[in-house]
Amino acid sequence: MFLLKLCLIINSFFMTEASVPRPRGVSITMASFYTGQAENFSCLDNSLVVPFNYVNDDYCDCPDGSDEPGTAACINGKFHCTNAGYIPNYIPSSRVNDGFCDCCDGTDEFSEIISCPNKCIELGKKAMEERMKVHKMQMEGFAKKQEFINEGKKAKEEKKSKLIELEALKIAAEQHKTEMEAEKNSAEGPEKLAKDTHENAWEEEKKKLQKEKEITIAKDAFTELDSDGNQLVSVDELKSHSEFDIDSDGTVSDDEAKEYMEEATDASYDHFVEKMWPNIKEIYRKPKKLEDEVSQQEEETTTPSSAQVTPSPPSETPQDDDDGADEDSDEDADEDDEPTPEESVDGQVQAPSSPGSHFGDLDDEDDEEEEKSDTDYDRDFEETVPLPTEDEAKKKTEEGKDKETQPQMPDYDQETKSLIEAADQARSKYHDADKKVRELEKDISDVKKILDLDLGPDNEFYSLYGKCFEYTDREYTYSFCPFDRASQRSKSGGIETSLGHWGHWDGVAPDIYKSQKYDKGQNCWNGPDRSVKVHFDCGIDSELRGASEPSRCEYAFSFVTPASCAKPTPSPTTNRDEL
């Protein structure tokens, strides 16, 4: 049926062409300028009038070449190919009778040099089939576009309804949050008062314990320094401690010892505690044995109940002579004779050594050696940091021990625990209410984001939102997520490179919906940020069909979708003569 209709159209066209007399190379629309003139022909630019028999005489008379439409005489002349059954067109007159077939109907070669077959019917048939194919695609695409429009309109109405619902839920959630905040504040008041009362009482108790501890330490120091047991600390007794060597010459002189005596020749216990101890407590070093005994006593005061008991002063440390020359040997002997945890001293069973005991110190020293070794290794690659001195290291170790042996605050009473539990529950409820409000705010923001998007005059591009499409060439895989982003990644692997983020519609008015711009992509080295222009065309399905880089860091995507299909024109039937 189609071919029969096509043949009838072509025959009708031939009859029309034949019924209009005109010179060779003249189109039907221009025939009136070449007929009805009895004797003369007026050049089409009105520059000259020549005898009519000068038309197509193979000599150019008119400046505009209009007197030779069917020959090659005029360099600026144009020859009209009728091409009945196909597409009429003009060719330069210089191509007439040049031995090449330019018109599909062969009318440009009328000499005997070459014979041109008429291919217009065959070409017209193929062109008609192609036009019908495109027309069919446009019809199907436009039908899908109507589905997209209906889907977009429906989704837009649903989003509007959803927004109203979410905003109502948010109002209720904010009211609930306000109520939970009031409950939280109400529960936190008694909790804070009870905790503050407990903690303030503990601070007072801790100060008391600390004062008792200070007194005990000072008393132990006085006892240790009073080597002759006469309840007085003398200059000679201070001289036995090397830490009082002010000028570091290896000997504690009388003057150096007197610096710490605070105008006393022999310091009593009261004078020592009030005057001397505040000045020497930072530099005074206990002998090893006394240090271990004090550590054990500190362990016993780590709980409030045991801390209430004032520890008894340690036994005096005997000195063999006044100048302290054999101090090191005495300490070695003490260390060698120190009883094991199972042995007893003075008839009393000793508990195993705690982390603050002498054995704990050895472990700490091993740990410090390991840490120091690791640090030294790291310093090969980092800035050199000076190692701490022996006194600094010892002070740091003692500070660590002090933290470990600090008395711990007792647990809250049951009433305070109940208040804390009630406040925790109120805080948890408030947190849940606040979380719900934030979730609703995010949902509202997401819905508004979609509603604010320009998804086409009829919301037809809504079907593309939230989807991604890919196209792969020989080197890269390109990804396109409409209204979101564009990117590329190498087929051989590696990270994804951002080519741009959604910017705006970028088509030429009045049809701005023919292209989109994506910008602010990853920066090109020594160049601009990457960007993409996406060109939209009609297609039965939505797909990314091509990607290129016309300019450095500026990409172009070719994308087809039913959303870009315009309403098709009536079905093509015939070719029309062109001017």
Side-chain angles (χ1 to χ4, degrees):
M1 178 63 71
F2 170 75
L3 293 179
L4 176 61
K5 184 178 180 182
L6 180 62
C7 290
L8 291 174
I9 292 171
I10 293 173
N11 289 335
S12 173
F13 186 80
F14 273 132
M15 291 174 65
T16 303
E17 289 283 307
S19 64
V20 181
R22 62 189 189 279
R24 184 189 304 113
V26 178
S27 67
I28 296 176
T29 55
M30 300 297 292
S32 60
F33 294 100
Y34 291 88
T35 58
Q37 302 187 40
E39 297 181 357
N40 298 322
F41 171 76
S42 178
C43 298
L44 297 184
D45 62 357
N46 294 320
S47 62
L48 188 67
V49 177
V50 297
F52 193 80
N53 59 1
Y54 281 13
V55 175
N56 283 342
D57 66 349
D58 206 19
Y59 183 84
C60 189
D61 298 292
C62 294
D64 62 356
S66 57
D67 64 311
E68 297 296 321
T71 72
C74 298
I75 58 174
N76 57 345
K78 292 182 178 180
F79 181 87
H80 181 263
C81 299
T82 302
N83 292 343
Y86 189 51
I87 303 173
N89 69 309
Y90 283 93
I91 63 172
S93 295
S94 59
R95 295 184 182 180
V96 175
N97 287 329
D98 62 350
F100 294 94
C101 300
D102 296 292
C103 300
C104 68
D105 60 4
T107 54
D108 61 311
E109 300 295 327
F110 49 83
S111 67
E112 297 180 355
I113 299 176
I114 184 173
S115 176
C116 295
N118 189 335
K119 298 181 179 179
C120 291
I121 300 299
E122 180 182 353
L123 292 175
K125 179 182 175 182
K126 290 182 179 179
M128 180 62 72
E129 290 175 350
E130 185 61 31
R131 285 199 294 272
M132 292 300 293
K133 181 179 178 182
V134 172
H135 185 266
K136 181 181 178 182
M137 181 270 293
Q138 290 175 334
M139 290 288 290
E140 292 183 17
F142 186 73
K144 284 192 175 182
K145 179 179 181 178
Q146 299 309 304
E147 296 176 5
F148 283 9
I149 289 174
N150 294 334
E151 179 186 348
K153 288 182 177 179
K154 181 180 178 182
K156 190 170 186 178
E157 292 304 317
E158 289 177 350
K159 295 295 182 185
K160 287 181 178 178
S161 299
K162 184 68 174 177
L163 181 60
I164 294 173
E165 178 186 350
L166 289 172
E167 287 178 338
L169 289 173
K170 181 188 172 186
I171 292 173
E174 286 177 334
Q175 183 178 354
H176 180 64
K177 175 185 172 181
T178 301
E179 294 172 356
M180 293 301 100
E181 185 175 16
E183 288 187 13
K184 177 179 77 73
N185 294 339
S186 177
E188 285 179 338
E191 176 203 36
K192 184 177 186 304
L193 180 61
K195 288 175 70 175
D196 288 349
T197 300
H198 179 88
E199 290 167 7
N200 290 337
W202 168 241
E203 286 298 322
E204 292 299 321
E205 179 66 20
K206 194 163 62 170
K207 289 178 182 178
K208 179 181 177 183
L209 294 175
Q210 184 64 31
K211 186 175 181 180
E212 291 176 354
K213 181 180 177 181
E214 285 287 337
I215 292 173
T216 300
I217 294 173
K219 186 174 183 179
D220 291 344
F222 179 82
T223 302
E224 187 274 323
L225 289 171
D226 181 19
S227 58
D228 57 8
N230 66 349
Q231 300 303 311
L232 295 171
V233 174
S234 65
V235 172
D236 289 338
E237 287 171 330
L238 284 185
K239 290 171 62 177
S240 65
H241 277 253
S242 60
E243 62 265 29
F244 301 124
D245 181 10
I246 297 175
D247 58 9
S248 301
D249 63 354
T251 303
V252 180
S253 65
D254 289 347
D255 291 336
E256 288 174 330
K258 289 178 181 179
E259 284 286 333
Y260 300 101
M261 295 295 291
E262 293 295 330
E263 301 178 356
T265 305
D266 293 306
S268 66
Y269 174 77
D270 291 338
H271 179 85
F272 176 84
V273 171
E274 293 176 10
K275 302 289 186 180
M276 291 180 59
W277 179 245
N279 296 330
I280 69 170
K281 65 180 181 180
E282 297 297 331
I283 59 175
Y284 167 73
R285 292 203 299 268
K286 300 183 290 292
K288 187 64 178 173
K289 183 176 180 181
L290 181 59
E291 183 178 344
D292 292 342
E293 292 175 353
V294 171
S295 297
Q296 183 175 346
Q297 291 174 4
E298 288 176 346
E299 271 191 8
E300 295 172 354
T301 62
T302 54
T303 60
S305 58
S306 62
Q308 303 286 346
V309 182
T310 304
S312 59
S315 59
E316 298 179 2
T317 304
Q319 298 292 325
D320 291 341
D321 48 55
D322 293 337
D323 57 8
D326 296 330
E327 182 179 3
D328 293 337
S329 61
D330 289 342
E331 290 179 2
D332 293 339
D334 289 339
E335 291 177 4
D336 292 338
D337 296 336
E338 187 171 288
T340 63
E342 294 79 9
E343 294 176 344
S344 62
V345 178
D346 297 333
Q348 296 181 357
V349 178
Q350 302 298 306
S353 298
S354 67
S357 68
H358 173 61
F359 296 103
D361 290 340
L362 292 177
D363 292 338
D364 290 343
E365 290 173 3
D366 291 341
D367 292 339
E368 288 178 10
E369 288 299 322
E370 276 186 40
E371 185 177 350
K372 191 182 295 183
S373 175
D374 293 339
T375 305
D376 289 341
Y377 178 79
D378 291 338
R379 288 186 187 132
D380 291 340
F381 307 96
E382 301 175 356
E383 183 180 356
T384 302
V385 179
L387 292 173
T389 63
E390 182 179 351
D391 288 342
E392 289 173 341
K394 184 172 182 180
K395 183 178 179 182
K396 186 175 181 181
T397 303
E398 289 176 351
E399 288 175 354
K401 289 180 181 178
D402 288 341
K403 289 181 181 179
E404 291 177 0
T405 57
Q406 283 292 326
Q408 300 299 311
M409 183 178 73
D411 203 359
Y412 295 110
D413 58 38
Q414 191 57 45
E415 183 179 356
T416 303
K417 287 181 178 180
S418 298
L419 292 173
I420 293 173
E421 182 179 356
D424 285 342
Q425 290 178 356
R427 279 188 287 267
S428 178
K429 290 179 180 179
Y430 171 77
H431 173 76
D432 292 341
D434 180 64
K435 181 180 178 183
K436 183 63 177 178
V437 171
R438 285 185 279 109
E439 288 175 349
L440 287 169
E441 287 175 343
K442 184 181 183 304
D443 292 341
I444 290 173
S445 176
D446 291 342
V447 173
K448 284 184 175 179
K449 180 181 177 182
I450 298 176
L451 289 175
D452 292 342
L453 276 176
D454 184 356
L455 298 172
D458 296 310
N459 232 38
E460 61 269 29
F461 290 96
Y462 173 81
S463 62
L464 303 179
Y465 183 81
K467 297 179 181 178
C468 292
F469 305 87
E470 288 190 346
Y471 169 78
T472 302
D473 61 13
R474 291 178 299 178
E475 187 175 359
Y476 295 102
T477 294
Y478 297 88
S479 176
F480 171 50
C481 303
F483 306 101
D484 187 7
R485 59 187 174 82
S487 61
Q488 73 172 7
R489 64 180 184 274
S490 174
K491 289 172 64 176
S492 60
I495 61 174
E496 190 174 63
T497 300
S498 171
L499 302 184
H501 300 276
W502 163 246
H504 55 270
W505 288 101
D506 199 45
V508 178
D511 194 359
I512 65 170
Y513 299 102
K514 280 298 182 182
S515 64
Q516 291 180 343
K517 186 66 178 292
Y518 292 75
D519 50 19
K520 298 180 182 178
Q522 186 172 326
N523 182 261
C524 284
W525 183 84
N526 200 24
D529 292 342
R530 290 174 171 83
S531 62
V532 180
K533 189 165 186 176
V534 183
H535 301 275
F536 283 73
D537 286 306
C538 174
I540 297 177
D541 298 308
S542 297
E543 58 180 315
L544 185 61
R545 286 192 173 176
S548 60
E549 190 178 1
S551 301
R552 183 170 181 261
C553 305
E554 295 180 358
Y555 297 79
F557 285 1
S558 175
F559 187 77
V560 297
T561 175
S564 291
C565 292
K567 185 176 181 179
T569 58
S571 177
T573 55
T574 184
N575 299 303
R576 300 195 176 192
D577 192 16
E578 298 182 354
L579 295 178

